[in-house]
Amino acid sequence: LPSKGSDEGGEEMATLTLPDGRTHKLRVLKPTCGNQTFIDIRDLLSATNAATFDPGYSSSASCCSAITYIDGDKGTCLYRGYPVHELVEKSHFEEVAYLLMYGEVPAENVRLMFEKQLKSEMLVHERLKNFFTEFLTGAHPMAMLATVVAALSSFFVDPMDLNDAEERELAIIRLIAKMPTIV
């Protein structure tokens, strides 16, 4: 990407010159953590019929996240700006769950209310235990967990409106609440 500049809207742009001489402007994205620069190529294929080649995604970011920051080279993993190892060592499960959902560490009274809400949704259906008895000895724990979590949807048969924030929040709370019981 030989040249950078700004478009009329003030966004930083990079100009890609293709082998046939055509140029295409790409947005330059700045992370909230770290010092990397990201080039937004979402419209590259549709606009130019050119694609990138990055086997193994060694130089590609797969998403933007307000929750997680990872820098594998530096051994950094942050959840909402907090080092994960500190959350593991110094925080309650409910605090971290709240942080991930709402973007802030709850005050003690809020954490206690959230904990009460989680406890009210913690029970799992007795028939869910049957899933565990059917796995082969030596089955990978993550495969087992993924299967059981997917099976939870069959116990909540009422349709959910994904556009309804309250329904999404209840589904998230139910899932978080059941994890300690399942694990």
Side-chain angles (χ1 to χ4, degrees), residues 59-161:
S59 294
S60 295
S62 61
C63 66
C64 293
S65 176
I67 298 173
T68 305
Y69 170 76
I70 299 171
D71 184 333
D73 293 336
K74 293 181 181 175
T76 302
C77 183
L78 306 176
Y79 285 163
R80 302 278 193 185
Y82 293 89
V84 170
H85 68 90
E86 287 184 18
L87 293 172
V88 169
E89 293 169 1
K90 300 176 183 176
S91 301
H92 296 273
F93 169 79
E94 297 82 10
E95 284 176 307
V96 176
Y98 191 94
L99 170 68
L100 294 175
M101 284 181 67
Y102 301 109
E104 59 189 26
V105 176
E108 184 63 15
N109 65 325
V110 174
R111 182 187 70 81
L112 292 172
M113 287 180 2
F114 186 65
E115 184 176 334
K116 184 177 179 181
Q117 188 177 18
L118 290 175
K119 284 182 180 178
S120 74
E121 296 289 348
M122 191 175 271
L123 294 177
V124 296
H125 197 285
E126 189 69 23
R127 293 179 69 184
L128 198 64
K129 287 196 304 188
N130 296 339
F131 282 88
F132 290 102
T133 63
E134 297 302 320
F135 290 111
L136 295 176
T137 302
H140 195 282
M142 284 306 291
M144 295 168 63
L145 179 62
T147 301
V148 172
V149 167
L152 282 174
S153 66
S154 67
F155 292 92
F156 295 97
V157 295
D158 294 332
M160 185 177 103
D161 179 3

